[in-house]
Amino acid sequence: FTMQILSLTVMLAFLCMPLALNAQGSKADFSGKWAFNAEKSELGQQGQGGGRMGMGGGDFTATQAANLLTVERTRQGRDGQTVNTTSKYTLDGKESVNTMGMGESKSTATWSADGKSLTIVTKMSFERDGQSMEFTTTEVWTLASPASLTVATTRNTPNGEVKTKMVYDKK
């Protein structure tokens, strides 16, 4: 009798394994070339005058493979030069470090329980005019459809909280 229970348990484990593997693979995939849709986006008070701190708003390419999300952006710098940035986020809740123009940023990415959205919390510290400043940004990435991505962002800055909602269309 014990042998029958053991063999039944092993058989059930093999039957359920694909379900567990499939559940892991059911997370949203943000891969693709994304074009900023200004009409559908809500830039809040930062939308006037370009106070975006170089984040969001432009087109970007996302590559999601295994446990890594790579975001490549090309934008215009203050002097009109082209600036390319690449940010990498591990998708297992461990901290990722990216180097930005003003220093390092540390990010943690976590999935929602249903795997449909990804929350990326980024902290950046830097010195300016002899003062230390810290910014915390929380981005929630959600696929509204396979061809539409929404990134809801909350930034906590020394000047207060700024919220935006960026909408991107898949190219």
Side-chain angles (χ1 to χ4, degrees), residues 6-24:
L6 181 62
S7 63
L8 184 61
T9 304
V10 170
M11 193 167 64
L12 278 173
F14 278 112
L15 288 172
C16 294
M17 194 179 306
L19 294 174
L21 292 173
N22 192 28
Q24 194 176 20

Side-chain angles (χ1 to χ4, degrees), residues 14 18 64 85 92 143 166:
F14 278 112
Q64 187 173 327
T85 58
D92 58 4
L143 286 177
M166 308 281 199

Side-chain angles (χ1 to χ4, degrees), residues 42 46 55-56 136-141 150-155 161-166:
E42 298 168 18
Q46 73 160 359
M55 301 173 124
T136 301
T137 303
T138 302
E139 295 180 327
V140 180
W141 291 43
T150 300
V151 180
T153 303
T154 303
R155 281 189 193 85
E161 183 177 270
V162 177
K163 292 186 177 203
T164 60
K165 182 174 91 175
M166 308 281 199

Side-chain angles (χ1 to χ4, degrees), residues 82-95:
T82 299
V83 178
N84 296 314
T85 58
T86 301
S87 301
K88 296 184 179 208
Y89 307 99
T90 57
L91 301 177
D92 58 4
K94 292 181 183 164
E95 188 174 78

Side-chain angles (χ1 to χ4, degrees), residues 94-114:
K94 292 181 183 164
E95 188 174 78
S96 304
V97 177
N98 289 290
T99 303
M100 310 295 256
M102 294 184 276
E104 282 186 346
S105 65
K106 296 180 180 182
S107 304
T108 306
T110 51
W111 289 102
S112 60
D114 64 4

